[in-house]
Amino acid sequence: MGAEPQAPAMRVDVVTIFPDYLAPLDLSLIGKAREDGLLDVRVHDLRDFTHDRHRTVDDTPYGGGAGMVMKPQPWSEALDHVLAQDNPSGAKPRLVVPGPGGQPFTQALARELAREPWLAFACGRYEGIDERVYDHAREDLGLEVSVVSLGDYVLNGGEVAVLAMVEAVGRLVPGVIGNAESLVEESHEDGLLEYPIYTKPSSWNGREVPPVLLSGNHGAIAEWRHAQRLARTAARRPDLLHASHATDGRDVEISAATAGDVPELAVLTRACWVQEALANDTLDIPALHESLEDVRAAIDTTQTWLARSGGRLVGAVRTSPGSSDTDWFIGRLCVVPDLQGRGLGRHLLEHAEGTAPGGIRTFTLVTGARSADNLRMYKKAGYRVAEAAAPIPGAVTLVKRRR
Ligand code: JD8
């Protein structure tokens, strides 16, 4: 059996008036990927597509104002050149134009761009590029054009942004990063920041490496690392603890509960568990007997996630260590009555599973034996009713192995 045929290289064309600015792409992982034929990066000098003695690429802005604007003709000829070069099939690249007003560049966008066979980057300078170049690329050349910003600060041109984007996208191309495993637990890959890392010596400058990391107990290490990731994300980037999900057309944000959410959460819990009480013909349901203090305390002792749509609290779920150090307990999963049956419960369940520590191998939850909708949703999600009796009468325990 010969080696796997290598996928065609991802082609990347960059047009700029400062080709040397892209020299770093000859180095390190991206440089190696180019040598290995995984990436085909080509840098073009925009001035090569001018015809005057001064190789002019800019002129004064119509309507007046400071600075200069990049002329359309050199860009048109540069794009024609890129599309004509080694392109017998007449394929079309996705054109990415960095700009401070563009859509934010994120890991999700990097993953999307990494799936493209051909990317072209147009590096602007001065005040930017004549707007008609964007229209020409879309309408005349039929290119998908994305204006993308590296971040909310002002650079002098697009080159720095292209360096960052080509590196972030290139390293996601299969084979560029040696062990793709290391991509999994990276910051922004799953919405959480990275855990702290250490290497020899275990004692340095009077500072010790956290003992759990020297324990060899992989379950405990994974749990510690996950807790560190959650804590760091909550401390440094609480905005990242939001994930979005579309229900009834409006985005739903999932975030970690805080003390300020207690009153709303108590109302949501009561509303949803009255439904359970009716379905199971019992008021003997712990959630119904929780006081505000109980809900408050639970936010400290468990990981409570809230789903909000347009600011309205529409769902919640609570997670905590289960019956063993490889079991994760998922509880208090609820969705407001008017939004049930639209996948939000499944989404909250996936979020609860997805944020479980690395060492977790099983998920456990409890629901009413006569809660038909819940049971259907859990079974569809891979849960099975456990032999073991449920902790409360009239309820059942469901368990699922983590894949
Ligand atoms: C492309 C020209 C400079 C921008 C007048 C300063 C991206 N996150 C980002 N910040 N700035 C850029 C960026 C800046 C650029 C160009 C990208 C082309 N400039 C201009 C408008 C104000 N000067 C960027 N990605």
Side-chain angles (χ1 to χ4, degrees):
M1 263 295 280
E4 279 292 299
Q6 178 163 302
M10 168 194 266
R11 177 169 166 183
V12 175
D13 288 86
V14 182
V15 180
T16 168
I17 61 172
F18 296 125
D20 298 345
Y21 230 114
L22 284 301
L25 297 179
D26 302 339
L27 308 173
S28 182
L29 273 170
I30 301 299
K32 175 116 178 16
R34 296 170 72 179
E35 285 158 18
D36 298 348
L38 295 167
L39 293 175
D40 170 9
V41 178
R42 309 171 186 209
V43 178
H44 312 269
D45 185 340
L46 182 67
R47 293 191 191 280
D48 292 347
F49 304 96
T50 63
H51 309 288
D52 64 304
R53 199 152 55 80
H54 301 296
R55 307 182 91 210
T56 304
V57 296
D58 63 311
D59 208 329
T60 55
Y62 276 119
M68 301 293 274
V69 176
M70 301 191 93
K71 296 166 67 65
Q73 187 55 28
W75 276 106
S76 169
E77 295 182 29
L79 291 172
D80 289 348
H81 170 80
V82 166
L83 268 64
Q85 195 180 57
D86 304 332
N87 182 25
S89 66
K92 295 180 185 304
R94 178 162 172 185
L95 179 61
V96 177
V97 187
Q103 69 179 102
F105 184 64
T106 63
Q107 189 63 11
L109 182 53
R111 280 198 297 270
E112 180 187 319
L113 294 175
R115 289 192 285 273
E116 297 280 353
W118 187 2
L119 296 174
F121 291 90
C123 300
R125 277 276 154 175
Y126 309 99
E127 299 312 302
I129 302 171
D130 186 299
E131 191 62 23
R132 293 167 291 180
V133 173
Y134 298 83
D135 305 332
H136 166 66
R138 286 191 181 95
E139 296 149 18
D140 307 340
L141 302 180
L143 305 185
E144 179 181 356
V145 179
S146 305
V147 179
V148 179
S149 170
L150 199 59
D152 297 343
Y153 40 80
V154 180
L155 301 169
N156 289 331
E159 286 78 8
V160 167
V162 169
L163 280 173
M165 293 177 191
V166 170
E167 176 155 320
V169 171
R171 65 194 298 280
L172 298 176
V173 170
V176 172
I177 294 268
N179 82 19
E181 243 336 277
S182 70
L183 287 174
V184 174
E185 287 212 326
E186 285 179 338
S187 287
H188 308 298
E189 196 50 54
D190 59 357
L192 293 177
L193 302 186
E194 292 189 340
Y195 47 77
I197 53 179
Y198 304 81
T199 188
K200 298 183 192 63
S202 61
S203 177
W204 175 79
N205 208 357
R207 291 183 172 80
E208 306 305 319
V209 169
V212 64
L213 299 179
L214 310 175
S215 69
N217 176 336
H218 298 302
I221 290 168
E223 193 146 332
W224 178 86
R225 282 175 169 172
H226 183 72
Q228 289 290 321
R229 298 187 71 194
L230 278 172
R232 274 188 166 188
T233 308
R236 298 178 186 176
R237 294 290 308 277
D239 60 298
L240 286 177
L241 286 176
H242 294 260
S244 69
H245 178 73
T247 60
D248 74 328
R250 289 193 300 171
D251 259 0
V252 167
E253 297 284 323
I254 295 184
S255 63
T258 64
D261 300 306
V262 168
E264 273 183 293
L265 183 52
V267 171
L268 172 70
T269 304
R270 295 280 168 77
C272 293
W273 266 270
V274 165
Q275 214 174 333
E276 291 305 297
L278 295 169
N280 293 275
D281 189 21
T282 173
L283 289 176
D284 180 11
I285 300 176
L288 273 181
H289 301 277
E290 270 193 342
S291 66
L292 281 175
E293 288 63 42
D294 295 333
V295 174
R296 171 83 191 72
I299 289 177
D300 288 345
T301 56
T302 71
Q303 182 65 50
T304 302
W305 301 100
L306 303 182
R308 287 186 181 280
S309 174
R312 176 197 175 197
L313 180 61
V314 293
V317 67
R318 198 187 274 180
T319 62
S320 58
S323 55
S324 73
D325 62 9
T326 62
D327 181 51
W328 198 237
F329 186 79
I330 298 173
R332 299 284 188 281
L333 176 60
C334 58
V335 172
V336 289
D338 59 300
L339 283 183
Q340 287 171 4
R342 301 178 184 217
L344 181 50
R346 181 65 184 272
H347 182 63
L348 278 162
L349 182 62
E350 284 162 2
H351 187 86
E353 293 172 355
T355 53
I360 293 300
R361 297 271 83 32
T362 59
F363 301 113
T364 297
L365 45 84
V366 172
T367 191
R370 288 151 61 179
S371 302
D373 298 349
N374 300 357
L375 286 165
R376 192 177 318 105
M377 188 267 278
Y378 292 140
K379 287 179 177 166
K380 255 172 52 189
Y383 286 79
R384 293 293 167 269
V385 175
E387 313 309 314
I392 46 180
V396 290
T397 298
L398 295 105
V399 176
K400 170 183 172 179
R401 290 199 67 66
R402 187 184 202 172
R403 267 190 289 288

